[in-house]
Amino acid sequence: MKTDKINDTYYAGFEGEPEIRLIYTNSDKSYVLKIWNGYFDTLMDCLVQLESAQSNILSEYYAHEGWYEESPWEVEILERPYNCLIHLILNI
């Protein structure tokens, strides 16, 4: 049986507005980070400064493909977006 651990720290105060859920699932648990879409847009804009908009997650985001067409949208190769986010966090 799967159990969800939900962190909605970055969505609190924006209830009713668009949200993005980043979900990591292993065999028995799902970890959910629920964030306000405005924060996610800002992250994507910052990532473009570090990475070409032609890379996987950014190109689909800016072309409004992937998660806009189906839900949930699954990122199969996590290494590149993960490394970009870590680089962004460490350089803020």
Side-chain angles (χ1 to χ4, degrees), residues 2-20:
K2 287 195 184 265
T3 58
D4 287 343
K5 295 187 118 202
I6 300 174
N7 179 342
D8 65 353
T9 302
Y10 300 102
Y11 187 68
F14 296 101
E15 291 82 1
E17 295 193 28
E19 68 184 59
I20 299 289

Side-chain angles (χ1 to χ4, degrees), residues 1-2 6 8 10-11 15 21 24 27 33 36-37 39 41 44 50-51 61 63 68 70 74 81-83 89-90:
M1 171 166 79
K2 287 195 184 265
I6 300 174
D8 65 353
Y10 300 102
Y11 187 68
E15 291 82 1
R21 289 181 183 218
Y24 170 76
S27 60
L33 175 61
W36 174 53
N37 190 60
Y39 291 147
D41 285 343
M44 293 294 105
L50 302 173
E51 182 83 21
Y61 176 74
Y68 291 98
E70 56 188 74
E74 187 172 338
Y82 174 80
N83 288 338
I89 290 166
L90 293 175

Side-chain angles (χ1 to χ4, degrees), residues 27-90:
S27 60
D28 62 341
K29 289 189 180 180
S30 289
Y31 300 90
V32 179
L33 175 61
K34 190 164 108 170
I35 64 174
W36 174 53
N37 190 60
Y39 291 147
F40 188 76
D41 285 343
T42 301
L43 281 172
M44 293 294 105
D45 290 342
C46 290
L47 286 177
V48 169
Q49 296 173 25
L50 302 173
E51 182 83 21
S52 166
Q54 300 306 312
S55 70
N56 65 8
I57 191 170
L58 295 174
S59 63
E60 291 188 21
Y61 176 74
Y62 283 106
H64 296 276
E65 296 174 350
W67 61 59
Y68 291 98
E69 296 170 350
E70 56 188 74
S71 184
W73 180 60
E74 187 172 338
V75 178
E76 307 240 343
I77 303 172
L78 291 175
E79 184 177 349
R80 197 168 188 175
Y82 174 80
N83 288 338
C84 283
L85 285 171
I86 293 301
H87 180 76
L88 176 66
I89 290 166
L90 293 175

